[in-house]
Amino acid sequence: MKTTVETALGAVATADLGPTLMHEHVVTRSPGVQENWPHLWDREAIVALAERKMADLYARGIRAIVDLTTVDLGRDIDLIAAVARRSRVHIIVATGVWWMPQRYFSAHGVDAVADLFVRDINQGIGATGIKAAIIKCATDTAGVTPVIENVLRASARAQKATGVPISTHTWAAGRSGEAQQAIFTQEGVDLGRVIIGHSGDSEDLGYLRGLMERGSTIGMDRFGLENFLPTAKRVEVLARLCAEGYAGKMVLSHDANCWTDMLSEDDKRRTRPLWHYNHISDDILPALCKAGVSEAQIQQMLVDNPRAIFEARQPATD
Ligand SMILES: [Zn+2]
C-alpha cells in the first residue's frame, strides 16, 4: 500500500495530511484569455490573495486541499506551486479534463488522452516534476457526449494504469453519477477508487445511496453554493446519510477558489456570500454537530476518508 501522496511540493505522508478539503481550486480561468489580454491578470496580486486565503484555512485547522483544476479550467502549475510555497496547507493537484474540453480531446483517441493523464501522474506536469495525484473528469447537463465519453474512458484507463483515484464533476439533478459509474465499470475500474463529485447538490437519497452502495465515495463538496442546494438542505441530507451509516463514504468541500476570471471578489461576496474556503470550518461543522453528526464521523469525512482514498493503490507493482 502507498503511504505517501504527491503534492505541489512533493510527496507527503498520508498520515500527515490531516483535515482535507477534497474539491477546491486555487485559480480557475479560461485558458488562453489572460495570455492574450494580460491586462486582465495581476499574477502577483492573485498569489498574494491566495496566500491570505490559505493562511485562513490553516488557522482553522485545514491541512490539505485537493485542487481539481484541469486544462480546460486553466490549470497553471507554476502558479499553484508558487501558492504552495507560500502556504502551510498541502495542495494536491489533478490531471484530467472538465466538461469544456478543447477540440484536442475529441481529435485524439481514448488511449492517446489517457497517456497524457498517465504522464502527469508518473512523470510530472510539463517540466516541473510536480505529479498529479488524482484524475478529474466531468459530465454536465449535456450528458455523455462523444468527447466526454472519450475523457471518461481515458480517465478510467489512466486510473487502472496508475492506481490514483478519479474525482468527477456531475450534474447531480440529472443523476449523471450513474452514467459515469456505468462507463467506469465497463472499463474495469474499481468504483471504490472513484469519488462522484457534486453529489451534495442532490437531495435524492435513493440516487446518493445507490452511488455509495456501488462502492464510490460521494463528494458533499459545494457547501455555500446555495443556487444548487441551500445550506440547510445540504446539512440535512448529510446528517441523514451519516445516521444511516454512510460517513465512511462521504468527503467534504466547497468547490471554491482563491481567484476566478468568472467573478470578482466583490461579485462573489454579493451573489454567493457563503461560498468561500472557511464556510465548512466556520458554519457547517457546528451545524452538523447540531444535526447529530458525531466528532468521529466528522473526523472520518475530513481526515480518514481522504487519507484512505490516497493510500489505496491497485497496481500490484506499486
Ligand atoms: Zn470544481
Side-chain angles (χ1 to χ4, degrees), residues 22-23 66 68 94-95 97 134-138 155 164-169 180 184 193-198 219 221 251:
M22 287 295 284
H23 187 141
V66 179
L68 289 178
T95 187
V97 177
I134 194 161
I135 303 160
K136 166 85 167 281
C137 50
S155 300
V164 307
I166 291 174
S167 186
T168 74
H169 162 110
Q180 292 177 343
F184 296 149
R193 305 297 296 131
V194 176
I195 302 163
I196 302 292
H198 305 340
D221 56 16
V251 290

Side-chain angles (χ1 to χ4, degrees), residues 32-232:
V33 172
Q34 277 79 20
E35 288 83 349
N36 282 278
W37 293 280
H39 68 282
L40 296 174
W41 172 256
D42 183 346
R43 192 176 188 278
E44 267 319 295
I46 292 167
V47 172
L49 177 64
E51 182 181 1
R52 283 201 301 280
K53 292 193 182 187
M54 299 296 276
D56 284 348
L57 265 181
Y58 189 87
R60 285 163 174 79
I62 299 296
R63 294 292 178 264
I65 65 168
V66 179
D67 182 334
L68 289 178
T69 307
T70 54
V71 58
D72 48 333
L73 280 166
R75 185 183 68 179
D76 179 340
I77 195 63
D78 293 319
L79 180 80
I80 294 171
V83 172
R85 281 192 293 270
R86 295 199 200 179
S87 164
R88 299 174 74 185
V89 175
H90 300 300
I91 305 178
I92 293 166
V93 306
T95 187
V97 177
W98 190 54
W99 61 271
M100 295 180 85
Q102 291 95 330
R103 64 182 184 178
Y104 189 93
F105 300 100
S106 51
H108 295 80
V110 174
D111 288 320
V113 175
D115 284 347
L116 299 179
F117 300 167
V118 170
R119 185 185 193 284
D120 280 356
I121 295 160
N122 287 343
Q123 284 172 250
I125 297 166
T128 63
I130 296 171
K131 292 175 178 171
I134 194 161
I135 303 160
K136 166 85 167 281
C137 50
T139 316
D140 205 79
T141 49
V144 183
T145 61
V147 60
I148 293 296
E149 181 170 353
N150 224 20
V151 171
L152 292 173
R153 291 191 187 279
S155 300
R157 291 178 199 179
Q159 193 288 319
K160 288 200 302 172
T162 63
V164 307
I166 291 174
S167 186
T168 74
H169 162 110
T170 61
W171 175 48
R175 300 170 68 110
S176 52
E178 292 172 345
Q180 292 177 343
Q181 284 187 324
I183 288 172
F184 296 149
T185 300
Q186 276 177 12
E187 291 285 337
V189 168
D190 169 3
L191 291 182
R193 305 297 296 131
V194 176
I195 302 163
I196 302 292
H198 305 340
S199 296
D201 290 352
S202 174
E203 51 180 322
D204 180 343
L205 293 170
Y207 167 64
L208 300 175
R209 289 186 197 107
L211 295 173
M212 294 186 281
E213 290 300 327
R214 286 186 290 276
S216 297
T217 296
I218 61 173
M220 309 306 262
D221 56 16
R222 275 178 159 175
F223 279 104
L225 281 173
E226 300 257 291
N227 48 323
F228 291 110
L229 195 68
T231 302

